[in-house]
């Protein structure tokens, strides 16, 4: 009596993780989410380093998801899945890097109130019919920097000359509303009434009017300073 052969199934069995692997994956996912969040909130690194750290944590987070929850690498022939994973990561990194590069260049070349000054400097508008027009030729003058840190400007006074550039940098965590003149009597400098400077941003303007001028933070009375522009 011959034994009847039973058909064998060649369909691969699905691979499931254990409870331990799911818990480990969840804990690691939570950890690699909270760490970059803490770094961003507390500004633990510089801007560029923080951006690179976030991208690195995102890649690690992706690897954790596909290993512990999608079980990549546990099937018999994982090469195709691995190929698609590497391709996807490469495309994401390229898109994110290109987007950051484009936004950085747009921000550098079109910085709000500096657009008009940039165009005037590039076109070398200096005099009209022999009369000072309020701007300076490109490439002239010296740059001076005032840092706002711990609710104090450093230095609190700057001596400069016409066609120099003054840069006010906000190194505090709060936004500074910089205005010219006294707190109760706002003024302007070369038609510029001032502007709000967000944390770790700056405000730059060309010194085209001689004299001594005061500036202050409209939101914080203690932050005051002045600059003198001579011929």
């Amino acid at each position: 009596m011959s034994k009847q052969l039973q058909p064998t199934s060649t369909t691969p069995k699905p691979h499931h993780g254990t409870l331990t692997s799911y818990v480990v994956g969840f804990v690691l996912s939570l950890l690699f989410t909270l760490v970059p969040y803490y770094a961003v909130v507390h500004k633990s690194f510089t801007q560029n380093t923080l951006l690179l750290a976030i991208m690195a944590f995102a890649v690690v987070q992706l690897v954790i998801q596909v290993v512990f929850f999608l079980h990549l690498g546990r099937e018999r022939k994982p090469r195709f899945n691995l190929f698609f994973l590497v391709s996807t990561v490469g495309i994401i990194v390229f898109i994110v890097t290109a987007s950051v590069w484009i936004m950085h260049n747009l921000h550098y070349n079109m910085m709000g109130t500096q657009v008009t000054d940039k165009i005037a400097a590039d076109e070398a508008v200096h005099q009209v019919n022999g009369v000072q027009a309020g701007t300076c030729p490109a490439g002239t003058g010296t740059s001076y920097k005032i840092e706002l840190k711990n609710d104090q400007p450093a230095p609190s006074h700057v001596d400069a000359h016409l066609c120099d550039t003054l840069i006010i940098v906000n190194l505090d965590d709060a936004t500074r509303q910089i205005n010219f003149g006294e707190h109760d009597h706002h003024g302007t400098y070369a038609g510029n009434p001032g502007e709000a400077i967000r944390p770790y941003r700056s405000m730059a303007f060309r010194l085209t009017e001689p004299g001594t001028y005061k500036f202050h933070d409209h939101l914080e009375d203690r932050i005051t300073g002045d600059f003198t522009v001579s011929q």
Side-chain angles (χ1 to χ4, degrees), residues 6 29-30 41 49 55 74 83 101 106 125 156 159 167 171 176 183 198 217:
Q6 298 294 331
S29 299
L30 191 62
V41 171
T49 304
M55 294 179 63
R74 297 185 182 181
F83 171 77
W101 181 79
L106 287 175
V125 179
S156 60
D159 288 311
I167 305 173
L171 298 180
R176 302 303 182 189
H183 276 280
R198 290 180 294 172
D217 179 11

Side-chain angles (χ1 to χ4, degrees), residues 83-165:
F83 171 77
F84 287 121
L85 173 63
V86 174
S87 301
T88 302
V89 172
I91 293 174
I92 293 175
V93 171
F94 174 77
I95 293 176
V96 172
T97 304
S99 300
V100 171
W101 181 79
I102 291 173
M103 290 187 293
H104 177 269
N105 281 272
L106 287 175
H107 175 72
Y108 178 80
N109 292 305
M110 306 294 289
M111 292 181 63
T113 57
Q114 298 181 27
V115 175
T116 303
D117 290 340
K118 183 178 185 301
I119 295 174
D122 291 342
E123 295 179 355
V125 179
H126 183 48
Q127 290 184 349
V128 177
N129 296 327
V131 179
Q132 182 74 25
T135 57
C136 300
T140 60
T142 304
S143 295
Y144 295 89
K145 181 170 66 173
I146 297 177
E147 296 182 347
L148 305 179
K149 189 174 183 180
N150 298 326
D151 297 335
Q152 293 294 331
S156 60
H157 175 78
V158 169
D159 288 311
H161 297 83
L162 286 175
C163 291
D164 289 344
T165 300

Side-chain angles (χ1 to χ4, degrees), residues 26 62 149 165 192 196 219:
F26 174 76
L62 177 62
K149 189 174 183 180
T165 300
N192 183 5
L219 305 177

